[in-house]
């Protein structure tokens, strides 16, 4: 019996946990779809899974203060879904990130 395993160019890991078309070993947010790989703070973790606005590698009350202060603005870092404004949709995403490290990310980042 033969079993063929797909391989990405260069022999990397073909797994794509969030089914966004980006292999996990190249994906800056492995568990949430973000095909555009939007990472406005350049930290190696995609906005959609990075509520760590103070770069402490843990999403907590300090990050909530930053989020609150930017609510209703076009701040790109707190605009988690990339719709142009930090709003209620972003708050729902942020709530799901509180109490944990940002990510996970398959690319190098300060929180590895």
């Amino acid at each position: 019996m033969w079993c063929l395993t797909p391989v990405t160019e260069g022999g990397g890991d073909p797994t794509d946990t969030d089914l966004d078309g980006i292999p996990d070993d190249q994906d800056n947010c492995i568990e949430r779809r973000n095909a555009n790989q939007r990472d406005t703070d350049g930290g190696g973790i995609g906005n959609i899974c990075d509520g760590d606005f103070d770069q402490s590698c843990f999403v907590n009350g300090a990050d909530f203060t930053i989020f609150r202060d930017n609510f209703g603005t076009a701040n790109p870092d707190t605009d988690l879904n990339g719709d142009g404004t930090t709003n209620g949709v972003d708050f729902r995403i942020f709530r799901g990130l509180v109490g944990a490290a940002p990510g996970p990310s398959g690319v190098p980042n300060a929180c590895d």
Side-chain angles (χ1 to χ4, degrees), residues 3-84:
C3 180
L4 301 176
T5 305
V7 201
T8 60
E9 188 174 319
D13 181 1
T15 303
D16 181 13
T17 302
D18 60 9
L19 304 175
D20 64 0
I22 311 295
D24 288 355
D25 63 351
Q26 300 168 32
D27 197 338
N28 68 10
C29 186
I30 294 170
E31 296 175 353
R32 294 174 187 249
R33 291 183 184 187
N34 66 328
N36 64 6
Q37 298 293 286
R38 187 169 177 270
D39 176 17
T40 58
D41 68 4
I45 300 171
N47 279 40
I48 195 77
C49 62
D50 187 4
D52 179 28
F53 308 123
D54 68 353
Q55 309 306 316
S56 67
C57 294
F58 193 76
V59 183
N60 57 28
D63 301 300
F64 174 73
T65 299
I66 295 168
F67 182 87
R68 182 194 65 209
D69 291 348
N70 286 291
F71 196 83
T73 72
N75 182 292
D77 295 339
T78 55
D79 177 17
L80 300 175
N81 70 339
D83 68 357

